Amino acid sequence: MASPSPVAPLDQEELAQALAALPAWEHDPSRAALYRRVVKPDFPAAMAFMVQVGFAAERLDHHPEWSNVYNRVDIWLTTHDAGGISTRDVTLAGIIDSLA
Amino acid sequence: MASPSPVAPLDQEELAQALAALPAWEHDPSRAALYRRVVKPDFPAAMAFMVQVGFAAERLDHHPEWSNVYNRVDIWLTTHDAGGISTRDVTLAGIIDSLA
């Protein structure tokens, strides 16, 4: 039986490349995470955005850590199994950008 | 024309009474807020709960400050117009309890 492929954290060069391809995101070293803020016109729009991201996250089985205050959503992506940022976070970040 | 009724923060005794009536909540002085954590079985259940609270909050025109990580929702209620905890927060806390 094949075991599931391990999740490795991105190395420094891979992280730099990922950030170059995701200009809305920054590296938050304090949380070993990708971070971005999304601002919507109002609270219902912010909630609708979160629900869309939520369905994508559940399909990927990879979930954001996020906070909402009215029309603002702060999002951190990290992979606990990898102890840092992995390709899973890069994939979810791209999907979030397409929904933001 | 009547002006809208002002929003006053709860005084110490009113806050103590509110907390006694809301045993799932505690006072977070660092945020001048009521705080509680809600834990659901999984991420979709946490999102469904947030959507339900979201509709109630929008109807009240009073919105939570909250964070979600997987099945966990941390909720702070405060009234910026009052500079602290007001009856609006107590009302929303009760609704959140009924949905949690």
Side-chain angles (χ1 to χ4, degrees):
Chain A
M1 284 201 322
S3 49
S5 55
V7 187
L10 301 187
D11 65 29
Q12 204 168 349
E13 190 182 328
E14 291 167 331
L15 179 58
Q17 288 172 348
L19 287 165
L22 295 167
W25 295 79
E26 58 190 79
H27 180 209
D28 180 348
S30 73
R31 294 176 69 147
L34 295 175
Y35 165 78
R36 83 163 281 187
R37 173 170 289 182
V38 173
V39 179
K40 290 289 183 179
D42 53 26
F43 177 76
M47 287 296 300
F49 164 71
M50 292 179 76
V51 170
Q52 287 189 296
V53 172
F55 277 99
E58 186 65 13
R59 194 178 60 238
L60 291 173
D61 194 21
H62 188 61
H63 303 86
E65 303 181 3
W66 49 4
S67 296
N68 160 248
V69 178
Y70 194 58
N71 65 337
R72 198 175 77 216
V73 185
D74 288 304
I75 309 167
W76 291 265
L77 303 179
T78 187
T79 304
H80 292 285
D81 291 348
I85 298 164
S86 78
T87 54
R88 292 184 187 175
D89 301 304
V90 175
T91 300
L92 185 53
I95 292 170
I96 289 172
D97 284 349
S98 72
L99 294 169
Chain B
M1 283 201 319
S3 47
S5 55
V7 187
L10 301 187
D11 65 29
Q12 205 168 350
E13 188 181 330
E14 291 167 331
L15 179 59
Q17 288 172 345
L19 286 166
L22 294 166
W25 295 80
E26 59 190 79
H27 180 210
D28 180 348
S30 73
R31 295 176 68 147
L34 296 176
Y35 165 78
R36 84 163 281 188
R37 173 170 287 182
V38 173
V39 178
K40 290 288 182 178
D42 54 25
F43 177 76
M47 287 295 301
F49 164 70
M50 291 179 75
V51 170
Q52 287 189 296
V53 172
F55 277 98
E58 185 66 14
R59 194 178 60 238
L60 290 173
D61 194 21
H62 189 61
H63 303 87
E65 303 182 4
W66 48 4
S67 297
N68 160 249
V69 177
Y70 195 60
N71 65 336
R72 198 175 77 215
V73 186
D74 288 305
I75 310 167
W76 291 265
L77 303 179
T78 186
T79 304
H80 291 286
D81 290 351
I85 298 165
S86 79
T87 55
R88 292 184 187 175
D89 301 303
V90 175
T91 300
L92 183 54
I95 292 170
I96 288 172
D97 284 349
S98 73
L99 295 169

